[in-house]
Amino acid sequence: MKKLILSLAILSFTFGFAQNEDKMSKTVITKTKVKSSKGEEVAVKEQKYTANQKLQVENNNETNQAVSRKPVKITESTTFSTGNEMFTIQPDKNGYTMMSKIDGKEKMYGKIRKMPDREFYILAKENENSFGYFDNDGNFIVESYDPDSDSVYLKKYNLE
């Protein structure tokens, strides 16, 4: 009887933890020091970023299976936003160009180029290179390195 209960418990845990989505979360803590006549105050701000993406299984009926992100192809000018900023991603001959919209005027923000053999992209801006990908909802998720804080941060450009 013990073996039967133990076997059922092991089976339930085995099937309960299968994953069909890729989840990435990151918490960024920012500390700001303010010196005044009353002394030194430290303000702590904590932001949590999460990105979920469903995964698809290739070679469904085979023993060895591979999991990959669903490829995204932008064929026309598409609008994205993050916070109060608006961006346009449009295809060009080598990948995409990303334009920022400020007061109704478009300005070059960066170039997006696909990494070979992967569904990741490089966002090349004036003084910074970042890596990104398109999630299943069409949003552009970008990971960048901040040398001042020696950390990586996540920025999500929402599809409009």
Side-chain angles (χ1 to χ4, degrees):
M1 186 66 169
K2 277 185 173 178
K3 289 183 181 181
L4 178 63
I5 293 173
L6 187 59
S7 299
L8 288 174
I10 291 173
L11 283 174
S12 66
F13 281 114
T14 302
F15 292 112
F17 292 112
Q19 293 182 346
N20 63 347
E21 85 177 8
D22 187 16
K23 184 175 183 179
M24 179 174 48
S25 66
K26 179 180 179 165
T27 303
V28 177
I29 299 173
T30 307
K31 294 182 181 180
T32 307
K33 290 183 182 180
V34 178
K35 292 182 181 180
S36 66
S37 60
K38 296 179 182 177
E40 188 174 289
E41 295 179 24
V42 177
V44 178
K45 182 179 177 184
E46 184 174 313
Q47 288 182 309
K48 185 170 184 174
Y49 299 98
T50 59
N52 292 331
Q53 185 173 22
K54 292 191 178 185
L55 300 174
Q56 63 186 19
V57 178
E58 299 172 2
N59 309 327
N60 219 4
N61 294 326
E62 296 181 15
T63 303
N64 294 328
Q65 297 180 352
V67 178
S68 63
R69 288 186 168 86
K70 186 176 160 185
V72 173
K73 180 81 170 158
I74 297 177
T75 57
E76 59 187 31
S77 181
T78 307
T79 304
F80 292 82
S81 68
T82 180
N84 296 334
E85 298 176 288
M86 299 294 288
F87 298 91
T88 303
I89 296 178
Q90 51 198 12
D92 68 5
K93 65 179 183 171
N94 295 321
Y96 305 105
T97 56
M98 190 169 189
M99 308 291 281
S100 63
K101 290 184 180 180
I102 301 173
D103 297 328
K105 297 179 183 176
E106 285 192 340
K107 181 183 173 190
M108 174 62 99
Y109 183 73
K111 295 180 181 183
I112 301 173
R113 300 296 182 247
K114 189 172 189 265
M115 296 290 291
D117 300 329
R118 293 186 179 89
E119 292 305 320
F120 285 95
Y121 297 84
I122 293 178
L123 172 59
K125 296 192 291 187
E126 189 173 311
N127 295 323
E128 173 184 332
N129 290 326
S130 305
F131 292 96
Y133 61 91
F134 291 94
D135 66 9
N136 283 345
D137 297 327
N139 302 316
F140 188 47
I141 312 297
V142 177
E143 297 177 30
S144 303
Y145 173 71
D146 181 13
D148 296 333
S149 65
D150 192 30
S151 63
V152 176
Y153 63 94
L154 185 81
K155 190 169 186 179
K156 182 175 183 181
Y157 297 91
N158 297 310
L159 180 64
E160 291 291 311

